[in-house]
Amino acid sequence: MSTPFAKLPVWVEYGLVPLINLAVAFIVAGLVVLLVGENPFEAAYHLINGAFGRGEYIGFTLYYATTFIFTGLAVAVAFHCGLFNIGGEGQAYVGGIGVALACLWLDQTMPWYVVFPIAIVGSAFFGALWAFLPGWLQAKRGSHIVITTIMFNFIASSLMVYLLTRVLKPLGSMAPQTRTFAEGGQLPKLDWLLSIFGLNIGTAPFNISFLLALAAAFAVWVLIWRTKLGYEMRTMGHSPSAARYAGIRESRITVIAMMLSGGLAGMMALNPIMGEQFRMQLDFVQGAGFVGIAVALMGRSHPGGIIPAAVLFGVLYQGGAEIAFEMPSISRDMIVIIQGLVILFAGALENMFRPAITRAFAMRGQRAAAVVQTKGA
């Protein structure tokens, strides 16, 4: 095995390497800001202040992070099985149908704590159902999972347009959206959580689905590292031939992994639909499925890394809006460039600095061994 992929200590693999990639990404982003004639330190101040400067800003940051935790976990589960599920966007769209149907059915007769579990099941079921066919095509027909999931994103988008303009739209309404849910279809805010620290979330839609996202992260950790199914998935991801030799049914694990991934992506819909908009609108996903790929890459497909990576992208979304407001010469497109740089260094170029880090730790180990031998002599 080549040096760049040599074994590193856990704190280096999941801590130091991502931090170095992130630091380089922000340095390059600072140079971009400098090129447009603005002060990169001022932009960094507005980024941090816009994300954490007030309780309301923190609430928005954690609201975005909640969405990205779900989509990051969805991508990570597929990664562990050697699958690149790029269809989180479409799976989240279809998962939203399950949420909307539960709310439209029960919101006027049941309290939120009855509707919420049904919406969870509905979102996970519809998301898993949408991921089932690409998984089956990969397992049974050899269709590449990237191609099929991309195509299913477009199909889901068209399906959403049809449903919101022909089926679920209230009579007399011109907007492509469902009716506003009654109180039973609205999730309570987590204002009490931040009030412990003396913070007021104001109008931020930070809601109870954040706790569900944390529970989902723990459940994924248990699944991947503490169950037989997770072991089979990781074996498939490391070596399909070894998995076949061990008697693991490749097609079964592929379909199950894709359905689990799709279910997690579908649960993302709970946050914007029940937690913020209180209706299903046409573009409620807003690219979160693709951001989840970067979150999973940066978090090394581990729930313990995905959560802080999701918070980071929440900072970029919320703090980026503050930069665009306070520094008009830095447009929203510039913020997207900064986000793209983070994705580039955290994802595509994640191994850029690994050879140097590996060599440094190898030399350190050799020196320590030499010292031990000298003392022994």
Side-chain angles (χ1 to χ4, degrees):
M1 187 169 288
S2 61
T3 301
F5 301 98
K7 186 71 173 177
L8 289 169
V10 174
W11 70 271
V12 176
E13 179 72 30
Y14 295 101
L16 183 61
V17 174
L19 284 176
I20 291 175
N21 290 333
L22 181 62
V24 173
F26 278 114
I27 289 171
V28 176
L31 295 176
V32 173
V33 172
L34 200 60
L35 286 175
V36 300
E38 290 289 351
N39 185 342
F41 295 103
E42 182 183 355
Y45 167 77
H46 289 305
L47 178 72
I48 300 301
N49 182 66
F52 300 112
R54 291 168 50 186
E56 186 173 13
Y57 300 162
I58 296 174
F60 274 105
T61 299
L62 294 177
Y63 164 75
Y64 292 125
T66 302
T67 295
F68 301 146
I69 289 172
F70 281 120
T71 54
L73 291 172
V75 175
V77 167
F79 274 169
H80 281 293
C81 195
L83 303 169
F84 191 6
N85 178 15
I86 204 170
E89 196 85 357
Q91 291 148 19
Y93 265 129
V94 177
I97 298 173
V99 178
L101 291 178
C103 292
L104 292 172
W105 175 36
L106 297 170
D107 64 328
Q108 296 178 343
T109 58
M110 296 291 178
W112 72 267
Y113 51 82
V114 174
V115 179
F116 188 40
I118 298 173
I120 292 172
V121 174
S123 63
F125 174 77
F126 277 82
L129 191 65
W130 198 249
F132 166 77
L133 191 54
W136 184 86
L137 290 172
Q138 165 86 16
K140 298 295 186 180
R141 294 292 181 265
S143 302
H144 201 289
I145 200 72
V146 172
I147 302 300
T148 53
T149 49
I150 288 175
M151 298 304 293
F152 268 61
N153 284 341
F154 288 100
I155 297 172
S157 178
S158 300
L159 175 64
M160 190 61 58
V161 171
Y162 171 79
L163 290 175
L164 288 178
T165 56
R166 302 293 183 88
V167 180
L168 299 176
K169 185 181 70 171
L171 291 176
S173 173
M174 296 297 292
Q177 61 188 29
T178 66
R179 64 168 175 82
T180 301
F181 303 146
E183 189 173 346
Q186 302 179 14
L187 294 181
K189 291 184 178 182
L190 285 180
D191 47 357
W192 58 268
L193 182 60
L194 292 186
S195 66
I196 296 174
F197 305 97
L199 299 172
N200 180 12
I201 68 171
T203 60
F206 179 46
N207 61 81
I208 201 169
S209 62
F210 174 74
L211 301 181
L212 177 65
L214 297 181
F218 177 74
V220 167
W221 177 80
V222 172
L223 168 70
I224 299 299
W225 282 279
R226 292 294 185 272
T227 66
K228 177 186 175 184
L229 176 60
Y231 176 78
E232 292 175 340
M233 290 169 58
R234 286 185 289 121
T235 304
M236 270 286 299
H238 284 296
S239 175
S241 58
R244 287 192 293 270
Y245 183 78
I248 297 173
R249 291 174 54 194
E250 185 176 357
S251 58
R252 168 180 167 270
I253 296 299
T254 298
V255 172
I256 291 175
M258 279 301 297
M259 291 185 70
L260 289 171
S261 178
L264 286 164
M267 289 168 67
M268 164 265 157
L270 295 160
N271 190 34
I273 292 179
M274 291 187 72
E276 181 197 14
Q277 300 165 359
F278 309 131
R279 63 178 72 87
M280 186 169 72
Q281 297 177 325
L282 190 57
D283 191 24
F284 70 87
V285 180
Q286 297 182 335
F290 297 114
V291 174
I293 298 171
V295 169
L297 287 171
M298 189 168 187
R300 297 296 188 270
S301 298
H302 191 289
I306 286 171
I307 292 172
V311 172
L312 169 65
F313 277 89
V315 169
L316 292 176
Y317 266 62
Q318 174 58 24
E322 183 73 7
I323 292 176
F325 179 78
E326 295 290 345
M327 305 173 73
S329 59
I330 301 180
S331 65
R332 188 65 189 173
D333 294 332
M334 289 290 297
I335 305 303
V336 174
I337 290 174
I338 295 173
Q339 294 169 358
L341 288 170
V342 174
I343 294 171
L344 176 67
F345 283 94
L349 302 179
E350 66 168 331
N351 292 317
M352 175 181 289
F353 304 104
R354 191 182 295 270
I357 296 172
T358 303
R359 285 194 297 270
F361 274 86
M363 291 174 61
R364 179 185 176 187
Q366 291 170 0
R367 286 196 298 266
V371 170
V372 172
Q373 289 176 354
T374 302
K375 289 182 178 180

